[in-house]
């Protein structure tokens, strides 16, 4: 529940006001509802989907009073978020490889640290690979997270080939019987073709050493950027097959509605949410809990 307060105020708080403020369902209410959804960064397409559902609900008399909107919307949002398989894929045998991508500043390194702590807490062995060789600071930061969470770190020098870091990491993870290998990558979206080639090469190297790997390619997006997060996700889909999204900084934003848009517009499951800067502030995303927390 932590981390959704602002989104709840922004989205649900306003919906509650509508419900209280109107005696009957009428066009004014529907217009205000539509505006509220758009302002909460649910996204225009997804807002249209929800508004169509509401109008259908009214026609079918599932919605008779403004009060009925609350459970109706909660159910619709939970349904959008529930579509498809969302659980984290893990290797049957040998290391599970997670490739983590995203632009600088989105919270990639922090997320990797949090994931490391999460899996450690489950009793798994964790290795981190510093394949963002572009920034020396990124390599050092990963080392710090490794020490903090008790994970081994594979690193090369700044400027070395990211794919060779990935290769060494995969070899080491296999040899040392590591459960989870989490690979950090560079987040330079401005040079998209380079990034694409870099990710392709990393994928090729990993897949050759461990068939089926990477098991997850997680795109880290900053929720505070609202609809920009969705455009960014669209760009990244061209560079790598993304299996899931980590939405960070939900604690500091009222734009949490973007979760719904990511799922509905991009058909990408949100797998984790970041709700703070601390190592414990990462939650597996639950559609039902999210929808419930919005409307509690
Ligand atoms: P990177 O450049 O993508 O690796 O980004 P970092 O992991 O260095 O994170 C950038 C900033 O965002 C840091 O100050 C983090 O502490 C902060 N940050 C990351 N995730 C979250 C989150 O879920 N909530 C909050 N409030 N801050 C976060």
């Amino acid at each position: 529940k932590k981390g959704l307060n602002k989104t709840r105020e922004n989205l649900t708080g306003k919906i509650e006001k509508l419900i209280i403020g109107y005696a009957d369902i009428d066009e004014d209410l529907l217009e205000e509802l539509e505006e509220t959804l758009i302002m909460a960064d649910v996204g225009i397409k997804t807002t249209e989907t929800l508004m169509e559902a509401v109008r259908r609900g009214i026609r079918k008399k599932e919605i008779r009073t403004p009060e009925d909107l609350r459970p109706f919307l909660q159910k619709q949002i939970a349904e959008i978020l529930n579509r498809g398989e969302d659980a984290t894929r893990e290797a049957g045998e040998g290391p599970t490889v997670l490739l983590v991508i995203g632009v600088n500043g989105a919270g990639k390194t922090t997320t990797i640290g949090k994931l490391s702590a999460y899996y450690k807490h489950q009793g798994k062995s964790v290795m981190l690979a510093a394949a963002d060789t572009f920034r020396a600071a990124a390599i050092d930061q990963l080392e710090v997270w490794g020490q903090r969470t008790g994970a081994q770190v594979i690193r090369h020098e700044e400027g070395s080939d990211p794919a060779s870091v990935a290769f060494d990491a995969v070899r080491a993870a296999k040899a040392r019987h590591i459960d989870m290998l989490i690979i950090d990558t560079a987040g330079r979206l401005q040079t998209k073709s380079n990034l694409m080639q870099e990710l392709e090469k990393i994928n090729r190297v990993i897949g050759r050493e461990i068939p089926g790997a990477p098991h997850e390619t997680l795109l880290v997006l900053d929720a505070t950027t609202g609809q920009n997060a969705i455009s960014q996700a669209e760009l990244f889909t061209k560079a790598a097959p993304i299996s899931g999204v980590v939405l960070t900084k939900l604690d500091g934003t009222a734009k949490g509605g973007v979760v719904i848009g990511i799922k509905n517009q991009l058909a990408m499951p949100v797998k984790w949410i970041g709700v703070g800067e601390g190592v414990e502030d990462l939650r597996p995303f639950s559609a039902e809990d999210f929808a419930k927390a919005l409307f509690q």
Side-chain angles (χ1 to χ4, degrees), residues 103-111 114 135 141 248-251 274-277 281:
V103 298
N104 296 338
K108 205 154 33 86
T109 317
T110 308
T111 296
K114 291 171 177 175
R135 299 181 296 166
Q141 216 185 334
T248 63
K249 310 186 197 180
L250 266 176
D251 50 307
V275 293
E277 294 186 273
D281 296 328

Side-chain angles (χ1 to χ4, degrees), residues 75-148:
K75 191 167 149 254
Q76 291 296 325
I77 289 171
E79 263 171 30
I80 287 177
L81 293 173
N82 261 328
R83 263 178 243 149
E85 270 298 304
D86 291 0
T88 300
R89 262 185 297 156
E90 293 193 19
E93 191 184 327
T96 294
V97 183
L98 312 181
L99 192 66
V100 184
I101 64 178
V103 298
N104 296 338
K108 205 154 33 86
T109 317
T110 308
T111 296
I112 291 171
K114 291 171 177 175
L115 283 169
S116 175
Y118 181 90
Y119 289 117
K120 272 281 175 180
H121 195 69
Q122 291 191 334
K124 292 179 173 152
S125 53
V126 180
M127 179 181 278
L128 311 180
D132 178 357
T133 58
F134 198 69
R135 299 181 296 166
I139 303 175
D140 291 340
Q141 216 185 334
L142 205 70
E143 185 84 55
V144 170
W145 278 112
Q147 278 164 11
R148 202 178 289 169

